[in-house]
mmCIF file of all heavy atoms in Angstrom:
data_model
loop_
_atom_site.group_PDB
_atom_site.id
_atom_site.type_symbol
_atom_site.label_atom_id
_atom_site.label_comp_id
_atom_site.label_asym_id
_atom_site.label_seq_id
_atom_site.Cartn_x
_atom_site.Cartn_y
_atom_site.Cartn_z
ATOM 1 N N VAL A 1 41.557 81.553 140.722
ATOM 2 C CA VAL A 1 42.560 80.455 141.244
ATOM 3 C C VAL A 1 43.665 80.237 140.312
ATOM 4 O O VAL A 1 44.745 80.146 140.835
ATOM 5 C CB VAL A 1 41.729 79.161 141.365
ATOM 6 C CG1 VAL A 1 42.620 78.069 142.020
ATOM 7 C CG2 VAL A 1 40.617 79.433 142.546
ATOM 8 N N SER A 2 43.388 80.151 139.156
ATOM 9 C CA SER A 2 44.556 79.854 138.126
ATOM 10 C C SER A 2 45.538 81.029 138.123
ATOM 11 O O SER A 2 46.796 80.796 137.972
ATOM 12 C CB SER A 2 44.081 79.637 136.767
ATOM 13 O OG SER A 2 43.319 80.674 136.192
ATOM 14 N N VAL A 3 45.027 82.291 138.163
ATOM 15 C CA VAL A 3 46.030 83.393 138.003
ATOM 16 C C VAL A 3 46.734 83.363 139.356
ATOM 17 O O VAL A 3 47.997 83.770 139.414
ATOM 18 C CB VAL A 3 45.158 84.692 137.984
ATOM 19 C CG1 VAL A 3 46.153 85.981 138.068
ATOM 20 C CG2 VAL A 3 44.633 84.723 136.468
ATOM 21 N N GLY A 4 46.078 83.139 140.558
ATOM 22 C CA GLY A 4 46.649 83.103 141.835
ATOM 23 C C GLY A 4 47.866 82.033 141.817
ATOM 24 O O GLY A 4 48.882 82.233 142.317
ATOM 25 N N ALA A 5 47.594 80.972 141.284
ATOM 26 C CA ALA A 5 48.654 79.895 141.088
ATOM 27 C C ALA A 5 49.916 80.409 140.353
ATOM 28 O O ALA A 5 51.002 80.079 140.658
ATOM 29 C CB ALA A 5 48.193 78.657 140.437
ATOM 30 N N GLN A 6 49.692 81.201 139.264
ATOM 31 C CA GLN A 6 50.749 81.892 138.521
ATOM 32 C C GLN A 6 51.675 82.647 139.436
ATOM 33 O O GLN A 6 52.831 82.661 139.381
ATOM 34 C CB GLN A 6 50.252 82.534 137.313
ATOM 35 C CG GLN A 6 49.686 81.710 136.245
ATOM 36 C CD GLN A 6 48.980 82.588 135.155
ATOM 37 O OE1 GLN A 6 49.520 83.672 134.845
ATOM 38 N NE2 GLN A 6 47.865 82.118 134.548
ATOM 39 N N ILE A 7 50.971 83.501 140.304
ATOM 40 C CA ILE A 7 51.624 84.420 141.166
ATOM 41 C C ILE A 7 52.481 83.724 142.169
ATOM 42 O O ILE A 7 53.503 84.058 142.468
ATOM 43 C CB ILE A 7 50.668 85.388 141.729
ATOM 44 C CG1 ILE A 7 49.901 86.277 140.702
ATOM 45 C CG2 ILE A 7 51.192 86.293 142.771
ATOM 46 C CD1 ILE A 7 50.869 87.240 139.931
ATOM 47 N N VAL A 8 51.822 82.648 142.853
ATOM 48 C CA VAL A 8 52.521 81.861 143.776
ATOM 49 C C VAL A 8 53.709 81.194 143.105
ATOM 50 O O VAL A 8 54.811 81.160 143.817
ATOM 51 C CB VAL A 8 51.625 80.746 144.368
ATOM 52 C CG1 VAL A 8 52.410 79.773 145.186
ATOM 53 C CG2 VAL A 8 50.517 81.431 145.159
ATOM 54 N N ASN A 9 53.664 80.724 141.959
ATOM 55 C CA ASN A 9 54.773 80.216 141.285
ATOM 56 C C ASN A 9 55.899 81.238 140.998
ATOM 57 O O ASN A 9 57.065 81.021 141.169
ATOM 58 C CB ASN A 9 54.502 79.548 139.892
ATOM 59 C CG ASN A 9 53.714 78.195 139.938
ATOM 60 O OD1 ASN A 9 53.814 77.592 141.101
ATOM 61 N ND2 ASN A 9 52.838 77.913 138.977
ATOM 62 N N LEU A 10 55.479 82.419 140.731
ATOM 63 C CA LEU A 10 56.456 83.417 140.538
ATOM 64 C C LEU A 10 57.113 83.900 141.909
ATOM 65 O O LEU A 10 58.354 84.006 141.915
ATOM 66 C CB LEU A 10 55.699 84.773 139.943
ATOM 67 C CG LEU A 10 56.484 86.068 139.990
ATOM 68 C CD1 LEU A 10 57.600 86.023 139.039
ATOM 69 C CD2 LEU A 10 55.590 87.389 139.657
ATOM 70 N N LEU A 11 56.430 83.888 142.940
ATOM 71 C CA LEU A 11 56.990 84.214 144.203
ATOM 72 C C LEU A 11 58.025 82.950 144.624
ATOM 73 O O LEU A 11 59.072 83.299 145.157
ATOM 74 C CB LEU A 11 55.886 84.169 145.392
ATOM 75 C CG LEU A 11 54.931 85.475 145.136
ATOM 76 C CD1 LEU A 11 53.711 85.183 146.216
ATOM 77 C CD2 LEU A 11 55.734 86.629 145.639
ATOM 78 N N ARG A 12 57.789 81.781 144.233
ATOM 79 C CA ARG A 12 58.765 80.681 144.554
ATOM 80 C C ARG A 12 59.922 80.886 143.735
ATOM 81 O O ARG A 12 61.065 80.768 144.282
ATOM 82 C CB ARG A 12 58.121 79.357 144.313
ATOM 83 C CG ARG A 12 56.981 78.945 145.112
ATOM 84 C CD ARG A 12 56.603 77.398 144.886
ATOM 85 N NE ARG A 12 57.597 76.505 145.345
ATOM 86 C CZ ARG A 12 57.488 75.208 145.341
ATOM 87 N NH1 ARG A 12 56.299 74.627 144.784
ATOM 88 N NH2 ARG A 12 58.400 74.359 145.793
ATOM 89 N N ALA A 13 59.901 81.333 142.519
ATOM 90 C CA ALA A 13 61.024 81.441 141.625
ATOM 91 C C ALA A 13 61.799 82.673 142.094
ATOM 92 O O ALA A 13 63.006 82.741 142.107
ATOM 93 C CB ALA A 13 60.534 81.750 140.196
ATOM 94 N N LEU A 14 61.122 83.781 142.554
ATOM 95 C CA LEU A 14 61.922 84.991 143.035
ATOM 96 C C LEU A 14 62.569 84.597 144.374
ATOM 97 O O LEU A 14 63.711 85.111 144.678
ATOM 98 C CB LEU A 14 60.993 86.132 143.195
ATOM 99 C CG LEU A 14 60.289 86.756 142.039
ATOM 100 C CD1 LEU A 14 59.224 87.706 142.321
ATOM 101 C CD2 LEU A 14 61.434 87.472 141.180
ATOM 102 N N GLN A 15 61.959 83.804 145.158
ATOM 103 C CA GLN A 15 62.639 83.427 146.464
ATOM 104 C C GLN A 15 63.871 82.689 146.147
ATOM 105 O O GLN A 15 64.966 82.856 146.816
ATOM 106 C CB GLN A 15 61.614 82.634 147.265
ATOM 107 C CG GLN A 15 62.287 82.326 148.719
ATOM 108 C CD GLN A 15 61.206 81.622 149.641
ATOM 109 O OE1 GLN A 15 60.491 80.817 149.194
ATOM 110 N NE2 GLN A 15 61.140 81.941 150.833
ATOM 111 N N ARG A 16 63.842 81.676 145.223
ATOM 112 C CA ARG A 16 65.155 80.948 144.923
ATOM 113 C C ARG A 16 66.147 81.871 144.441
ATOM 114 O O ARG A 16 67.409 81.668 144.696
ATOM 115 C CB ARG A 16 64.764 79.765 144.010
ATOM 116 C CG ARG A 16 63.962 78.710 144.455
ATOM 117 C CD ARG A 16 63.859 77.456 143.486
ATOM 118 N NE ARG A 16 63.293 77.813 142.274
ATOM 119 C CZ ARG A 16 61.962 77.706 142.051
ATOM 120 N NH1 ARG A 16 61.135 77.121 142.951
ATOM 121 N NH2 ARG A 16 61.427 78.047 140.766
ATOM 122 N N GLU A 17 65.725 82.806 143.541
ATOM 123 C CA GLU A 17 66.759 83.605 142.806
ATOM 124 C C GLU A 17 67.486 84.611 143.801
ATOM 125 O O GLU A 17 68.686 84.935 143.676
ATOM 126 C CB GLU A 17 66.082 84.376 141.595
ATOM 127 C CG GLU A 17 67.089 85.243 140.872
ATOM 128 C CD GLU A 17 66.348 85.870 139.663
ATOM 129 O OE1 GLU A 17 65.191 85.512 139.344
ATOM 130 O OE2 GLU A 17 67.035 86.689 139.032
ATOM 131 N N HIS A 18 66.736 85.161 144.709
ATOM 132 C CA HIS A 18 67.147 86.277 145.489
ATOM 133 C C HIS A 18 67.407 85.856 146.937
ATOM 134 O O HIS A 18 67.981 86.771 147.776
ATOM 135 C CB HIS A 18 66.256 87.419 145.523
ATOM 136 C CG HIS A 18 65.996 88.107 144.160
ATOM 137 N ND1 HIS A 18 67.016 88.734 143.472
ATOM 138 C CD2 HIS A 18 65.048 87.957 143.238
ATOM 139 C CE1 HIS A 18 66.705 89.196 142.290
ATOM 140 N NE2 HIS A 18 65.428 88.757 142.105
ATOM 141 N N GLY A 19 67.066 84.598 147.329
ATOM 142 C CA GLY A 19 67.230 84.269 148.738
ATOM 143 C C GLY A 19 66.359 85.003 149.808
ATOM 144 O O GLY A 19 66.768 85.403 150.943
ATOM 145 N N LEU A 20 65.044 85.311 149.326
ATOM 146 C CA LEU A 20 64.258 86.043 150.037
ATOM 147 C C LEU A 20 63.652 85.356 151.157
ATOM 148 O O LEU A 20 63.540 83.978 151.085
ATOM 149 C CB LEU A 20 62.954 86.625 149.148
ATOM 150 C CG LEU A 20 63.398 87.571 148.055
ATOM 151 C CD1 LEU A 20 62.214 87.675 147.091
ATOM 152 C CD2 LEU A 20 63.724 88.924 148.695
ATOM 153 N N THR A 21 63.213 86.021 152.256
ATOM 154 C CA THR A 21 62.411 85.491 153.323
ATOM 155 C C THR A 21 60.967 85.816 153.245
ATOM 156 O O THR A 21 60.797 87.062 153.022
ATOM 157 C CB THR A 21 63.151 85.891 154.719
ATOM 158 O OG1 THR A 21 64.453 85.588 154.802
ATOM 159 C CG2 THR A 21 62.385 85.232 155.785
ATOM 160 N N TYR A 22 60.047 85.009 153.446
ATOM 161 C CA TYR A 22 58.622 85.305 153.267
ATOM 162 C C TYR A 22 57.811 85.149 154.546
ATOM 163 O O TYR A 22 58.081 84.120 155.136
ATOM 164 C CB TYR A 22 57.930 84.502 152.251
ATOM 165 C CG TYR A 22 58.326 84.823 150.788
ATOM 166 C CD1 TYR A 22 58.144 83.791 149.696
ATOM 167 C CD2 TYR A 22 58.922 85.881 150.357
ATOM 168 C CE1 TYR A 22 58.393 84.005 148.431
ATOM 169 C CE2 TYR A 22 59.239 86.303 149.040
ATOM 170 C CZ TYR A 22 59.098 85.255 148.112
ATOM 171 O OH TYR A 22 59.337 85.535 146.861
ATOM 172 N N LEU A 23 56.955 86.010 154.966
ATOM 173 C CA LEU A 23 55.822 85.759 155.825
ATOM 174 C C LEU A 23 54.636 85.793 154.822
ATOM 175 O O LEU A 23 54.216 86.871 154.360
ATOM 176 C CB LEU A 23 55.682 86.865 156.901
ATOM 177 C CG LEU A 23 54.449 86.659 157.762
ATOM 178 C CD1 LEU A 23 54.438 85.417 158.550
ATOM 179 C CD2 LEU A 23 54.337 87.854 158.704
ATOM 180 N N PHE A 24 54.036 84.571 154.754
ATOM 181 C CA PHE A 24 53.010 84.393 153.723
ATOM 182 C C PHE A 24 51.610 84.271 154.506
ATOM 183 O O PHE A 24 51.483 83.187 155.179
ATOM 184 C CB PHE A 24 53.212 83.192 152.811
ATOM 185 C CG PHE A 24 52.276 82.960 151.773
ATOM 186 C CD1 PHE A 24 52.251 83.764 150.598
ATOM 187 C CD2 PHE A 24 51.210 82.228 151.836
ATOM 188 C CE1 PHE A 24 51.356 83.596 149.662
ATOM 189 C CE2 PHE A 24 50.239 81.917 150.805
ATOM 190 C CZ PHE A 24 50.324 82.715 149.720
ATOM 191 N N ILE A 25 50.761 85.206 154.416
ATOM 192 C CA ILE A 25 49.527 85.212 155.207
ATOM 193 C C ILE A 25 48.329 84.851 154.327
ATOM 194 O O ILE A 25 48.259 85.440 153.172
ATOM 195 C CB ILE A 25 49.213 86.654 155.783
ATOM 196 C CG1 ILE A 25 50.405 87.022 156.655
ATOM 197 C CG2 ILE A 25 47.860 86.763 156.436
ATOM 198 C CD1 ILE A 25 50.447 88.490 157.092
ATOM 199 N N SER A 26 47.602 83.902 154.679
ATOM 200 C CA SER A 26 46.458 83.427 153.860
ATOM 201 C C SER A 26 45.409 82.661 154.809
ATOM 202 O O SER A 26 45.717 82.260 155.940
ATOM 203 C CB SER A 26 47.011 82.489 152.814
ATOM 204 O OG SER A 26 45.992 81.936 152.049
ATOM 205 N N HIS A 27 44.239 82.612 154.231
ATOM 206 C CA HIS A 27 43.190 81.677 154.903
ATOM 207 C C HIS A 27 43.203 80.390 154.192
ATOM 208 O O HIS A 27 42.387 79.443 154.702
ATOM 209 C CB HIS A 27 41.780 82.500 154.757
ATOM 210 C CG HIS A 27 41.438 82.508 153.379
ATOM 211 N ND1 HIS A 27 41.803 83.588 152.415
ATOM 212 C CD2 HIS A 27 40.671 81.758 152.594
ATOM 213 C CE1 HIS A 27 41.312 83.388 151.273
ATOM 214 N NE2 HIS A 27 40.582 82.177 151.271
ATOM 215 N N SER A 28 44.033 80.151 153.165
ATOM 216 C CA SER A 28 43.936 78.866 152.432
ATOM 217 C C SER A 28 45.168 77.946 152.851
ATOM 218 O O SER A 28 46.266 78.174 152.618
ATOM 219 C CB SER A 28 44.109 79.182 150.873
ATOM 220 O OG SER A 28 44.374 77.948 150.182
ATOM 221 N N MET A 29 44.802 76.838 153.518
ATOM 222 C CA MET A 29 45.782 75.901 153.957
ATOM 223 C C MET A 29 46.538 75.255 152.811
ATOM 224 O O MET A 29 47.852 75.072 152.797
ATOM 225 C CB MET A 29 45.014 74.750 154.879
ATOM 226 C CG MET A 29 44.928 75.374 156.292
ATOM 227 S SD MET A 29 46.523 75.694 157.204
ATOM 228 C CE MET A 29 47.019 74.105 157.600
ATOM 229 N N PRO A 30 45.781 74.752 151.807
ATOM 230 C CA PRO A 30 46.636 74.104 150.682
ATOM 231 C C PRO A 30 47.543 75.151 149.923
ATOM 232 O O PRO A 30 48.657 74.696 149.575
ATOM 233 C CB PRO A 30 45.471 73.747 149.656
ATOM 234 C CG PRO A 30 44.293 73.509 150.531
ATOM 235 C CD PRO A 30 44.406 74.561 151.558
ATOM 236 N N LEU A 31 47.208 76.330 149.870
ATOM 237 C CA LEU A 31 48.110 77.407 149.329
ATOM 238 C C LEU A 31 49.352 77.570 150.185
ATOM 239 O O LEU A 31 50.505 77.677 149.764
ATOM 240 C CB LEU A 31 47.288 78.625 149.176
ATOM 241 C CG LEU A 31 48.008 79.831 148.399
ATOM 242 C CD1 LEU A 31 48.538 79.505 147.045
ATOM 243 C CD2 LEU A 31 47.113 81.082 148.330
ATOM 244 N N VAL A 32 49.130 77.671 151.523
ATOM 245 C CA VAL A 32 50.246 77.826 152.351
ATOM 246 C C VAL A 32 51.062 76.758 152.438
ATOM 247 O O VAL A 32 52.318 76.801 152.432
ATOM 248 C CB VAL A 32 49.637 78.184 153.894
ATOM 249 C CG1 VAL A 32 50.809 78.094 154.882
ATOM 250 C CG2 VAL A 32 48.937 79.519 153.889
ATOM 251 N N ARG A 33 50.539 75.562 152.401
ATOM 252 C CA ARG A 33 51.360 74.316 152.371
ATOM 253 C C ARG A 33 52.264 74.275 151.068
ATOM 254 O O ARG A 33 53.438 73.712 151.224
ATOM 255 C CB ARG A 33 50.376 73.094 152.312
ATOM 256 C CG ARG A 33 51.233 71.682 152.211
ATOM 257 C CD ARG A 33 50.265 70.520 152.197
ATOM 258 N NE ARG A 33 49.323 70.598 151.037
ATOM 259 C CZ ARG A 33 48.309 69.891 150.885
ATOM 260 N NH1 ARG A 33 47.941 69.011 151.778
ATOM 261 N NH2 ARG A 33 47.503 70.016 149.840
ATOM 262 N N TYR A 34 51.744 74.727 150.089
ATOM 263 C CA TYR A 34 52.503 74.740 148.689
ATOM 264 C C TYR A 34 53.704 75.651 148.850
ATOM 265 O O TYR A 34 54.722 75.287 148.231
ATOM 266 C CB TYR A 34 51.632 75.206 147.621
ATOM 267 C CG TYR A 34 52.221 75.208 146.158
ATOM 268 C CD1 TYR A 34 52.454 74.017 145.601
ATOM 269 C CD2 TYR A 34 52.507 76.373 145.567
ATOM 270 C CE1 TYR A 34 53.072 74.000 144.265
ATOM 271 C CE2 TYR A 34 53.074 76.419 144.393
ATOM 272 C CZ TYR A 34 53.311 75.300 143.715
ATOM 273 O OH TYR A 34 53.966 75.301 142.461
ATOM 274 N N LEU A 35 53.643 76.837 149.398
ATOM 275 C CA LEU A 35 54.612 77.780 149.493
ATOM 276 C C LEU A 35 55.446 77.686 150.569
ATOM 277 O O LEU A 35 56.658 78.245 150.569
ATOM 278 C CB LEU A 35 54.045 79.150 149.222
ATOM 279 C CG LEU A 35 54.968 80.376 148.971
ATOM 280 C CD1 LEU A 35 55.681 80.240 147.533
ATOM 281 C CD2 LEU A 35 54.143 81.679 148.947
ATOM 282 N N SER A 36 54.984 77.205 151.761
ATOM 283 C CA SER A 36 55.708 77.538 153.007
ATOM 284 C C SER A 36 56.668 76.367 153.577
ATOM 285 O O SER A 36 56.417 75.246 153.227
ATOM 286 C CB SER A 36 54.648 77.704 154.127
ATOM 287 O OG SER A 36 53.810 78.816 153.847
ATOM 288 N N THR A 37 57.549 76.706 154.345
ATOM 289 C CA THR A 37 58.561 75.789 154.960
ATOM 290 C C THR A 37 57.820 75.332 156.363
ATOM 291 O O THR A 37 57.819 74.210 156.582
ATOM 292 C CB THR A 37 59.897 76.541 155.332
ATOM 293 O OG1 THR A 37 60.404 77.336 154.252
ATOM 294 C CG2 THR A 37 60.881 75.503 155.768
ATOM 295 N N ARG A 38 57.371 76.367 157.018
ATOM 296 C CA ARG A 38 56.604 76.053 158.294
ATOM 297 C C ARG A 38 55.314 76.752 158.291
ATOM 298 O O ARG A 38 55.129 77.731 157.544
ATOM 299 C CB ARG A 38 57.369 76.526 159.457
ATOM 300 C CG ARG A 38 58.549 75.680 159.821
ATOM 301 C CD ARG A 38 59.255 76.046 161.069
ATOM 302 N NE ARG A 38 59.809 77.488 160.917
ATOM 303 C CZ ARG A 38 59.372 78.432 161.845
ATOM 304 N NH1 ARG A 38 58.404 78.068 162.744
ATOM 305 N NH2 ARG A 38 59.823 79.704 161.782
ATOM 306 N N ILE A 39 54.378 76.386 159.098
ATOM 307 C CA ILE A 39 53.029 76.900 159.190
ATOM 308 C C ILE A 39 52.755 77.218 160.594
ATOM 309 O O ILE A 39 52.974 76.448 161.477
ATOM 310 C CB ILE A 39 51.981 75.992 158.613
ATOM 311 C CG1 ILE A 39 52.087 75.823 157.063
ATOM 312 C CG2 ILE A 39 50.591 76.486 158.798
ATOM 313 C CD1 ILE A 39 51.188 74.751 156.405
ATOM 314 N N ALA A 40 52.122 78.438 160.839
ATOM 315 C CA ALA A 40 51.516 78.755 162.091
ATOM 316 C C ALA A 40 50.085 79.073 161.946
ATOM 317 O O ALA A 40 49.711 79.913 161.134
ATOM 318 C CB ALA A 40 52.280 79.967 162.701
#
């Protein structure tokens, strides 16, 4: 979990820097809420 949190923080930083678009697939609602603009 703690290493996963580091990777998620990295993904957020890369998105801000490069203007990336993400489709983030997960079974974890709290994780998806943390990273996502919208949820399906």
